[in-house]
Amino acid sequence: MGYNGGAYSEWAPYLIGHLGGYALQTGRSNIWSALQRDWYERNYLNRNLVFNQQLGIPSKVTSPVWIATNVSGSNQYISTPILWRNYYDIAGYHRNEYSEELWLEPNLFDSLNHQLQDVLIFTPNGYASISCNNYGSSYQIRRSFFNLTIPWTFLFSI
């Protein structure tokens, strides 16, 4: 993210989510992946930050802290709906609430071997899954499946 020493003013969960989302929407999955990896390493190679992730960008970890010595969660900030947006951008699930139109545009990275398999989706009508694969000599043919598996009414009747 450019700052090895960290910074505060960025509101990192949104910076990662929005800039990463922009990268996903413009076909730059390598940038999205690099942002996610950097963020992960800054927060999970220091076990004191796993449940205490801050709004700012923490310092890059030079020496991993594998055993947490601080149990505080006072800085935890987890209200980041942009994470779901990025997830749905990869899965390719889009729904227009007003018109109830559904369209599927799975984002298949090269690292995914041109396929997604049973990606869980939450819809207003229940759980669903999306599977997709590209095939052909240059992966120009796409086959996608959308399966509504468990209606909401079933979940609430249990």
Side-chain angles (χ1 to χ4, degrees):
M1 285 188 272
Y3 296 107
N4 287 338
Y8 179 73
S9 62
E10 282 76 21
W11 280 57
Y14 291 101
L15 173 72
I16 302 301
H18 290 294
L19 184 57
Y22 170 74
L24 286 173
Q25 290 291 324
T26 56
R28 300 176 209 178
S29 61
N30 58 330
I31 293 172
W32 177 83
S33 183
L35 283 167
Q36 296 300 319
R37 182 177 182 91
D38 185 61
W39 181 243
Y40 175 86
E41 288 177 351
R42 288 174 188 257
N43 284 288
Y44 292 95
L45 292 181
N46 178 353
R47 295 298 197 257
N48 288 312
L49 295 179
V50 171
F51 294 108
N52 201 20
Q53 295 182 18
Q54 304 170 18
L55 287 175
I57 300 172
S59 298
K60 202 161 188 70
V61 176
T62 55
S63 180
V65 177
W66 299 116
I67 298 174
T69 57
N70 182 351
V71 297
S72 172
S74 63
N75 290 318
Q76 180 70 354
Y77 186 75
I78 59 172
S79 176
T80 52
I82 191 67
L83 295 175
W84 284 105
R85 174 61 189 260
N86 283 182
Y87 179 79
Y88 284 152
D89 281 344
I90 293 169
Y93 174 77
H94 305 280
R95 181 175 181 270
N96 183 323
E97 183 177 349
Y98 175 74
S99 67
E100 296 185 4
E101 292 173 282
L102 172 69
W103 64 99
L104 305 175
E105 298 176 288
N107 195 343
L108 304 182
F109 309 148
D110 290 339
S111 61
L112 295 173
N113 297 319
H114 307 283
Q115 64 180 347
L116 289 173
Q117 189 66 38
D118 296 324
V119 176
L120 178 65
I121 301 295
F122 300 96
T123 77
N125 305 101
Y127 292 115
S129 66
I130 294 176
S131 295
C132 181
N133 66 343
N134 288 354
Y135 59 97
S137 59
S138 25
Y139 302 102
Q140 75 278 16
I141 302 169
R142 174 168 283 190
R143 185 177 341 184
S144 299
F145 299 96
F146 179 78
N147 297 311
L148 187 60
T149 54
I150 304 173
W152 286 120
T153 52
F154 173 75
L155 291 175
F156 292 113
S157 64
I158 296 177

